[in-house]
């Protein structure tokens, strides 16, 4: 149980284009999902917190107009990197927090990540 | 603000031996959760162990155990009988109990190498 998927696992795009990354909780409902960015050999940096049916809460320094987050249902959140530039190249990881009453450990379950390369 | 510090960027251990990874944190809260996550080369973050601050008993999961010292704000991870599959980055993380969004604060990680 507690599987989180991300799609795509990797993407290469041209500078100026937009890229959408999906995060799905496959076998549980997630009222809250989180989006992280990880640079090589560094820790995870929280970008934003996404609650189903409401606007995402962005961390300080993260441009909400550049990183659009939509939490459309209890099992799906999307991150859209708009007008991507080479400096946006990174590893993006989502996680999902289990809604109460589902018999799983109360923690965040992580997706496998998406490697974005902007040329 | 809460901070999590992992002072060992890299550690290595002989296969079948025991290794301890250090983690300290700073918080003014009395109730919180602490976690150890493992990130193997696949980059998939995997929960290793979780500790609730109100519990005095140290959490254990098979070969993994913690030494939770609340007064010292220390939360070390002990891996017994190390196996090749334990090679990974290990991240210590903190989470407030009262935070409605339950954000995790991560340390900088420790890269563990297992020597055959």
């Amino acid at each position: 149980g507690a599987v989180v998927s991300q799609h795509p696992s990797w993407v290469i795009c041209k500078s100026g284009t937009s890229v959408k990354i999906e995060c799905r909780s496959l076998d549980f409902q997630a009222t809250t999902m989180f989006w992280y960015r990880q640079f090589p050999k560094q820790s995870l940096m929280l970008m934003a917190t996404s609650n189903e049916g409401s606007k995402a809460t962005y961390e300080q320094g993260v441009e909400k107009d550049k990183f659009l987050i939509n939490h459309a249902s209890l099992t799906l959140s999307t991150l859209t990197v708009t007008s991507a530039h080479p400096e946006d190249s990174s590893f993006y990881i989502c996680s999902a927090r289990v809604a109460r009453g589902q018999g799983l450990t109360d923690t965040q379950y992580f997706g496998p990540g998406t490697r974005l390369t902007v040329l | 603000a809460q901070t999590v510090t992992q002072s060992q960027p890299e550690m290595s251990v002989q296969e079948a031996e025991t290794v301890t990874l250090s983690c300290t944190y700073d918080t003014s809260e009395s109730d919180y959760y602490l976690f150890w996550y493992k990130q193997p080369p696949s980059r998939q973050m995997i929960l290793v162990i979780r500790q609730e601050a109100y519990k005095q008993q140290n959490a254990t999961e098979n070969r993994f155990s913690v030494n939770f010292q609340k007064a010292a704000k220390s939360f070390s991870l002990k891996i017994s009988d190390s196996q090749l599959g334990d090679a990974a980055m290990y991240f210590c993380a903190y989470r407030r109990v009262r935070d409605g969004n339950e954000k995790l604060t991560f340390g900088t990680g420790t890269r563990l190498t297992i020597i055959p």
Side-chain angles (χ1 to χ4, degrees):
Chain A
V3 177
V4 177
S5 70
Q6 275 184 246
H7 178 81
S9 55
W10 58 271
V11 57
I12 301 173
C13 69
K14 293 182 178 180
S15 185
T17 61
S18 294
V19 175
K20 180 184 285 189
I21 302 170
E22 291 187 349
C23 176
R24 293 181 185 272
S25 56
L26 298 185
D27 49 3
F28 65 97
Q29 293 184 334
T31 50
T32 305
M33 290 185 173
F34 302 84
W35 287 95
Y36 296 87
R37 186 171 180 178
Q38 186 179 32
F39 292 103
K41 298 186 179 181
Q42 293 189 22
S43 188
L44 281 70
M45 180 190 78
L46 180 65
M47 299 175 66
T49 302
S50 166
N51 289 300
E52 186 263 339
S54 63
K55 291 183 178 180
T57 302
Y58 290 81
E59 295 300 299
Q60 192 173 5
V62 177
E63 299 176 60
K64 62 180 180 181
D65 294 331
K66 180 163 189 63
F67 299 99
L68 300 179
I69 292 171
N70 185 349
H71 195 150
S73 73
L74 286 173
T75 59
L76 172 65
S77 177
T78 60
L79 167 68
T80 301
V81 183
T82 62
S83 187
H85 290 283
E87 58 265 30
D88 299 323
S89 298
S90 189
F91 194 69
Y92 292 88
I93 304 174
C94 75
S95 71
R97 182 179 177 266
V98 178
R100 295 182 188 276
Q102 297 183 73
L104 296 170
T105 300
D106 179 12
T107 186
Q108 291 181 27
Y109 294 91
F110 286 81
T114 297
R115 181 173 301 284
L116 170 63
T117 301
V118 185
L119 302 176
Chain B
Q2 293 80 26
T3 58
V4 178
T5 302
Q6 293 179 251
S7 60
Q8 306 155 315
E10 297 183 352
M11 291 281 284
S12 61
V13 63
Q14 204 81 30
E15 192 177 2
E17 297 295 311
T18 295
V19 64
T20 299
L21 307 184
S22 301
C23 173
T24 58
Y25 58 95
D26 187 25
T27 183
S28 58
E29 302 285 329
S30 60
D31 202 9
Y32 47 87
Y33 297 112
L34 295 166
F35 305 86
W36 278 98
Y37 281 91
K38 168 185 177 180
Q39 188 179 40
S42 68
R43 308 289 293 270
Q44 172 76 61
M45 293 285 284
I46 302 166
L47 176 66
V48 175
I49 202 163
R50 182 181 96 142
Q51 175 80 43
E52 291 132 323
Y54 70 88
K55 290 187 176 179
Q56 293 185 338
Q57 187 173 7
N58 289 324
T60 63
E61 287 288 341
N62 301 314
R63 298 182 295 107
F64 299 88
S65 62
V66 298
N67 183 3
F68 173 48
Q69 301 289 328
K70 191 172 184 179
K73 295 180 181 174
S74 170
F75 183 61
S76 60
L77 174 70
K78 185 172 83 171
I79 305 175
S80 304
D81 185 25
S82 298
Q83 300 176 359
L84 293 178
D86 295 333
M89 281 290 289
Y90 285 82
F91 293 99
C92 178
Y94 165 100
R95 194 193 94 191
R96 292 169 58 184
V97 171
R98 293 189 292 116
D99 186 327
N101 284 326
E102 287 128 5
K103 296 188 293 186
L104 287 171
T105 301
F106 285 94
T108 51
T110 297
R111 181 172 301 280
L112 178 64
T113 301
I114 310 296
I115 304 167

